[in-house]
Amino acid sequence: MLRFFFFNLLGNIIPMPIALICVPVISRLAGVDRLGALGIVWALVGYFSFLDFGLSRVVTRRVAHAIEKDRLQDELSELRGFFLWWAIPLMLVIALVLLIAGSWLSHIWSEGPIAMEIESAWVWIAWCVPVTLATNWFRGMLEGMQQFGRLNVLRVIFGSWNYAAPAIIVFWQPNLEAMIIAIVLGRFLALIAHVFACLQVDRQIVFGAAPRKIDSLGHFFREGGWMTVSNVISPLMVYFDRFLLATMLPARAIAWYVVSLELMMRTTVIPAALASVLFPKFSGRIKLRRAASRRIYMSAAFA
């Protein structure tokens, strides 16, 4: 467990120096106003992750529990069916809603040329959200199988991409549209990489029978419903201040606030790294004796 914790910790920490190098580059070449607007885009895509309705966590719990009960293949079959028949259509609906709302949303936080650049890139933002949700689904699979080594290699690569790609592209195209496209391209590549990682672990995650079960929709959403509340409220508490300030202040002022806030928020990586390891541990041991559960918890908290 300690090894997995360090994997998660490194996966979250290594992209930080990349961000510290790249953010000043973006600020200098694209301007502080565009950096502030880019911070809003990062927050927007991050906040819309709540639209998975807690399903990525449900996947982690169910996979971990199925491994414990030696019924993984049956569980993977049901998960494939839900993903194909219910999750993918839902993600497409989300993308269409965002596309329709794009003209309005892109002008809430900016005006003038920056608003026009965001609007021209909005189609990329809209498709980035369902791609991110699909990636979270496959990440949940890998977490349930405790493949933290593979996960954190991908986290380092694409966490760094999130900052490095716009910093590189800004040398040729110092505008928001080009930077957003560079970020979204990374999200598409991340999805492909997570699918490939799943295939390396177990081809049955992706390939095999995918039964369409009507009752699975309600079952999955009931199970993930309590997490949906947290997924909506927690990011809102984290990101709402930037959205509110962006309606009141120019993008230049938001840039200074977002950069300092992002640095402060990175201090949460330690408990987040530990929680990611403990969740599948406890999920796979629903009926574990209280004393054993307490022992795992205490060793994680105080080791």
Side-chain angles (χ1 to χ4, degrees), residues 30-292:
V32 178
D33 289 347
R34 287 186 174 84
L35 175 61
L38 191 63
I40 297 299
V41 172
W42 277 326
L44 193 65
V45 174
Y47 181 71
F48 278 137
S49 293
F50 83 87
L51 292 172
D52 77 344
F53 302 102
L55 295 181
S56 59
R57 284 300 184 189
V58 173
V59 169
T60 299
R61 191 204 67 78
R62 292 186 61 151
V63 168
H65 190 51
I67 292 173
E68 186 74 14
K69 295 295 183 182
D70 197 25
R71 53 175 303 274
L72 179 61
Q73 298 308 316
D74 292 338
E75 187 64 54
L76 291 180
S77 176
E78 185 170 351
L79 290 172
R80 283 194 305 270
F82 180 83
F83 184 73
L84 177 63
W85 296 106
W86 301 112
I88 290 179
L90 178 61
M91 292 173 190
L92 293 176
V93 169
I94 290 170
L96 291 175
V97 171
L98 291 175
L99 284 171
I100 293 171
S103 179
W104 174 68
L105 288 173
S106 61
H107 288 272
I108 291 180
W109 300 294
S110 299
E111 296 179 353
I114 290 180
M116 295 178 63
E117 289 176 20
I118 294 177
E119 185 175 7
S120 63
W122 187 262
V123 63
W124 293 92
I125 297 174
W127 286 111
C128 178
V129 172
V131 167
T132 301
L133 298 182
T135 304
N136 290 345
W137 175 277
F138 290 106
R139 181 180 295 119
M141 289 279 190
L142 294 171
E143 286 185 353
M145 295 181 173
Q146 300 189 42
Q147 295 291 318
F148 295 107
R150 298 175 190 272
L151 273 172
N152 284 286
V153 169
L154 296 177
R155 182 176 282 125
V156 167
I157 293 172
F158 294 106
S160 301
W161 181 294
N162 202 41
Y163 300 100
I168 293 171
I169 204 71
V170 78
F171 282 95
W172 290 275
Q173 292 290 332
N175 61 69
L176 275 172
E177 182 177 7
M179 289 188 286
I180 291 171
I181 291 174
I183 292 170
V184 174
L185 177 61
R187 299 299 177 107
F188 277 90
L189 293 175
L191 174 58
I192 295 171
H194 279 77
V195 172
F196 182 71
C198 287
L199 289 173
Q200 288 184 311
V201 174
D202 190 337
R203 292 181 62 83
Q204 295 298 312
I205 295 175
V206 180
F207 297 114
R212 182 178 183 179
K213 296 182 179 179
I214 302 297
D215 59 341
S216 66
L217 182 63
H219 179 72
F220 270 83
F221 281 107
R222 280 195 304 272
E223 194 169 354
W226 67 272
M227 284 180 277
T228 301
V229 176
S230 175
N231 286 352
V232 172
I233 295 176
S234 296
L236 187 63
M237 295 173 67
V238 173
Y239 295 123
F240 181 72
D241 50 352
R242 358 185 159 187
F243 296 147
L244 180 62
L245 290 173
T247 63
M248 302 166 59
L249 300 172
R252 176 179 294 269
I254 303 302
W256 305 116
Y257 178 77
V258 167
V259 171
S260 58
L261 181 64
E262 281 292 327
L263 289 174
M264 183 189 71
M265 289 300 298
R266 293 304 171 185
T267 59
T268 63
V269 298
I270 296 176
L274 184 58
S276 295
V277 175
L278 288 178
F279 184 74
K281 274 279 186 191
F282 284 110
S283 296
R285 292 166 170 81
I286 298 298
K287 296 183 179 179
L288 194 68
R289 290 179 302 167
R290 181 175 298 181

